[in-house]
Amino acid sequence: AAVAIFTGKANCPYYAKAELLADQLQANLPNFRVHKITQHPDKWEQWLHDICETNGWEHRQSPIIWRELLDRGGKGHLLGGLNDFLEYAQQYYGITSMMLNEEMVDIAEDNLQAHLEIVKEDEEIKSLIKPMQIWITSASAPTCYQLIPLLANGEVFGLTTEISIHLLDTDQYKEILCGVVMEAEDLAFPLLRGISAHTEMERAFIEADIVIVLDDVLLNLEVQSLENYIREMSEICQVYAPLIEKNAKSEVRVISSGRTFANLKAMMIMTYGPSIKPENIIAIATAWESAAKAMLARKLNTNTAGIKDVIVWGNITGSNYIDLSHAKLYGYDSAIRGPANFQRPLLNMVYDSEWIQSEFLSAESSLSSRVSRCAAMLPAHAVATVLQYWYHGSPAGEVVSVGILSEGQFCIPEGIIFSMPVRFQNGNWEVMTELEINETTQKVLGRLAHELTQEKLVALKEIKEMHPYEAE
C-alpha cells in the first residue's frame, strides 16, 4: 500500500488543481491514499528547500508530489509537480482534470483562507499549553544536575503542570550544558515540555516564572580577601537583576541557593532589581534543617521523620544559628507512648548537653562540615522541597527556615536578608512571629544581624567604588 503526499503553497492555483484531482482519485480508487500538507506562502520556499535537501530531490515549484510506501518506510519516490501528476493520473488510471483556470484561482484563495484559520486555531490551542518556565543559573554545577529530575517528575509542581527548563551558564560550559540537555531529554519525563541550554546573557530569563540562582565563588581567604569575594558575587547579581526585571514575568520567583553567599545573592538581586517583588526573593536554608535533623536522629537512634521544627537563623551560608528550643520529637520509641500526634521537646531527650555545644552548634561542628561538603544531592533536594512548599503549602504547623527580607520581626534590623521561621500557605509565605524567642537566642540574633548588615554594606561599597555612577 502507498500514499501520495501533496504539498504546496496555500494560495497556489496549481496546488489547488492537483489536490482536487487527488481527491477524485481517492474517491474512486480503493487503494489510492492521499495526504496533504499545505504551507503558508511565506514559509514555502524554506520548506521546499529543506524537504528536497533531506531527500536528495531537485524541485523548485509548487506543488511537490511524491509517493511513500506505508509499510516499508524510507524516503519517498518523487513524482514531481502538477504536470507530472496529471501525466501520472492519465497514464495509470485514465483520469484527467478538466478544471478551468478561474476555478483554480478561486479554490487557491479558499485554500489560503482555510489554511490561515487552521493556523490560528492551532496557535490558540498551543496558547492554552503554558508550561512553567524555570531558569537555572550556573547550570553546569552538580546541584543543577541533581535538581532537574526532582523538578521534572511532577512531585514539586503537581502532576498536571508541565515545565520548561532553561540552563544558563557561560560559554565555556556550553558542552556540559548540551550534555545535560541530552540526558534530561532521554529521561522522557511526560511533564518536561522542553529543556534548553543558554549562554547568551542578554536573552536570559525570558518569560521566567522561577529563577534558581546557583552561582558560587570558591572561597580561599589565603588568595584574596573576603571583601573581594563579596564584590565578585555582587557583580554577578548586578548583571542578573536588571535582566530578570526586563525579561521575566512580573510575578517571577527568585530562589538563592549554593554553598556561599546565599543571603547576599538574594539581597543584591533585590537591590539591583527593585521592581521584582521583595516577597518573591528568598534564600534556601532547608539543607541545614535536613542535615541537623539527620545528625540529631543518629544521636537519638530514631527516624529523621520524627524530628520537626528545627530553626535556622541568620546567614545561611555564613554565621548562622541552629535553634533547637522549638524542636519536637514524634514517634520516639521509649517507655512512654502516645497517639500519632504525641510529641516531646527534643532538648529534653538529648541528655548530653555538652554534645550539643561541642559537636552540634560550634562553628567547627561536624554538622557545619557535612553541609559545606555537600556538592549536589542535599542542596538540590532543599530547593525542590521549598518550591513544593511555595506552590502547595508546607506541612501544617511545621516550621520552615527561609532567608527573607527582614521587616523588624524578632527585633531583627530591617533591610537585610535573614533566615527565620516561616510557613507556606496559598502560594505565599508568612513569618511565624508567634514563636517566643528566649533571651539567649535574642542575643545571638543581634550578633548575626550585625554581621549581615556589615556584609551588605561591604557589598554596596565595593560596587560603588567599581561603578560609582551606576551605584548612585
Side-chain angles (χ1 to χ4, degrees):
V3 61
I5 312 295
F6 288 75
T7 300
K9 288 190 292 186
N11 63 345
C12 174
Y14 302 107
Y15 173 61
K17 186 168 185 174
E19 67 161 344
L20 261 72
L21 178 56
D23 289 341
Q24 184 182 352
L25 290 175
Q26 183 169 245
N28 290 283
L29 301 171
N31 293 324
F32 190 88
R33 294 289 178 267
V34 174
H35 178 65
K36 303 174 189 176
I37 305 174
T38 306
Q39 293 292 335
H40 191 281
D42 294 343
K43 298 180 179 179
W44 166 253
E45 294 295 337
Q46 185 62 49
W47 191 90
L48 179 62
H49 173 271
D50 292 344
I51 196 71
C52 288
E53 189 175 79
T54 300
N55 290 278
W57 296 333
E58 286 287 339
H59 191 84
R60 303 185 184 281
Q61 301 166 345
S62 172
I64 179 172
I65 304 161
W66 70 89
R67 294 174 68 247
E68 288 183 2
L69 295 175
L70 292 176
D71 57 350
R72 297 190 187 180
K75 74 175 185 178
H77 171 68
L78 179 65
L79 294 179
L82 173 63
N83 291 335
D84 299 298
F85 179 59
L86 291 174
E87 183 179 342
Y88 170 83
Q90 177 66 43
Q91 181 177 348
Y92 282 90
Y93 303 111
I95 297 176
T96 189
S97 172
M98 304 302 292
M99 185 188 297
L100 301 175
N101 288 341
E102 294 81 0
E103 293 178 279
M104 292 165 54
V105 172
D106 290 342
I107 293 173
E109 181 61 30
D110 290 342
N111 279 349
L112 178 59
Q113 294 305 316
H115 177 74
L116 293 176
E117 289 177 10
I118 291 171
V119 169
K120 183 180 178 181
E121 184 178 337
D122 287 344
E123 288 176 350
E124 288 175 353
I125 292 172
K126 289 177 181 178
S127 71
L128 299 176
I129 303 172
K130 296 181 178 179
M132 184 174 290
Q133 304 293 326
I134 303 170
W135 284 76
I136 305 175
T137 72
S138 194
S140 63
T143 297
C144 177
Y145 185 80
Q146 296 284 344
L147 181 59
I148 290 170
L150 300 179
L151 297 177
N153 66 15
E155 293 184 9
V156 173
F157 302 107
L159 296 174
T160 58
T161 302
E162 293 186 337
I163 66 171
S164 182
I165 298 176
H166 304 267
L167 308 180
L168 178 67
D169 215 319
T170 57
D171 200 54
Q172 70 183 102
Y173 296 109
K174 188 170 185 177
E175 188 174 339
I176 294 175
L177 297 187
C178 291
V180 173
V181 167
M182 290 181 64
E183 191 167 351
E185 289 174 340
D186 289 346
L187 290 172
F189 283 110
L191 296 173
L192 184 58
R193 169 66 60 166
I195 181 166
S196 52
H198 303 265
T199 56
E200 296 180 13
M201 191 59 64
E202 64 273 9
R203 295 185 55 79
F205 313 122
I206 290 178
E207 291 298 303
D209 292 288
I210 297 169
V211 175
I212 301 169
V213 181
L214 298 181
D215 294 72
D216 269 322
V217 293
L218 185 61
L219 288 177
N220 186 347
L221 298 180
E222 295 179 1
V223 175
Q224 60 176 322
S225 67
L226 181 62
E227 287 76 11
N228 285 338
Y229 287 117
I230 289 174
R231 184 187 66 210
E232 183 180 338
M233 185 55 70
S234 298
E235 288 188 319
I236 292 171
C237 296
Q238 196 178 15
V239 172
Y240 287 162
L243 288 170
I244 295 172
E245 284 187 302
K246 177 184 175 183
N247 295 336
K249 293 177 182 172
S250 60
E251 296 292 326
V252 63
R253 297 178 178 185
V254 181
I255 286 181
S256 173
S257 183
R259 290 185 286 180
T260 57
F261 299 118
N263 293 51
L264 181 67
K265 286 184 288 188
M267 186 75 258
M268 290 298 99
I269 289 174
M270 203 173 289
T271 301
Y272 295 110
S275 70
I276 306 170
K277 292 186 175 181
E279 64 270 24
N280 282 2
I281 303 175
I282 65 174
I284 300 294
T286 316
W288 282 92
E289 283 184 19
S290 301
K293 290 175 182 178
M295 190 170 178
L296 290 163
R298 285 190 291 270
K299 179 68 174 178
L300 294 167
N301 193 27
T302 189
N303 194 314
T304 55
I307 299 174
K308 310 288 186 184
D309 301 346
V310 173
I311 303 174
V312 181
W313 297 96
N315 190 353
I316 296 162
T317 51
S319 297
N320 60 43
Y321 173 56
I322 311 298
D323 182 5
L324 303 182
S325 63
H326 297 275
K328 302 175 184 67
L329 186 60
Y330 292 82
Y332 189 63
D333 187 13
S334 67
I336 302 175
R337 297 295 184 101
N341 62 348
F342 176 68
Q343 47 87 9
R344 284 168 278 199
L346 185 138
L347 284 175
N348 289 357
M349 309 306 295
V350 182
Y351 299 108
D352 188 356
S353 58
E354 185 179 334
W355 175 85
I356 293 178
Q357 296 301 322
S358 61
E359 295 294 324
F360 188 78
L361 295 180
S362 69
E364 294 78 23
S365 68
S366 56
L367 173 62
S368 177
S369 175
R370 293 177 74 89
V371 174
S372 62
R373 287 203 311 268
C374 289
M377 195 182 301
L378 181 58
H381 179 264
V383 171
T385 299
V386 170
L387 276 172
Q388 183 180 27
Y389 291 167
W390 208 345
Y391 281 87
H392 299 291
S394 53
E398 289 189 26
V399 172
V400 183
S401 300
V402 172
I404 58 169
L405 183 65
S406 170
E407 296 180 348
Q409 304 95 332
F410 306 108
C411 298
I412 299 165
E414 296 182 21
I416 56 174
I417 298 291
F418 199 93
S419 181
M420 61 182 78
V422 306
R423 67 171 65 86
F424 288 91
Q425 288 179 323
N426 303 319
N428 301 303
W429 53 261
E430 62 177 358
V431 180
M432 301 179 71
T433 52
E434 70 274 14
L435 293 179
E436 294 184 4
I437 306 302
N438 60 40
E439 186 177 342
T440 302
T441 300
Q442 195 68 67
K443 289 180 180 178
V444 174
L445 298 191
R447 177 174 56 79
L448 298 178
H450 177 74
E451 291 183 11
L452 277 168
T453 301
Q454 294 303 307
E455 182 180 83
K456 176 183 175 182
L457 291 174
V458 169
L460 295 175
K461 175 177 177 289
E462 294 288 343
I463 289 293
K464 188 172 182 179
E465 289 177 353
M466 294 293 293
H467 309 283
Y469 299 107
E470 291 181 20
E472 290 173 4

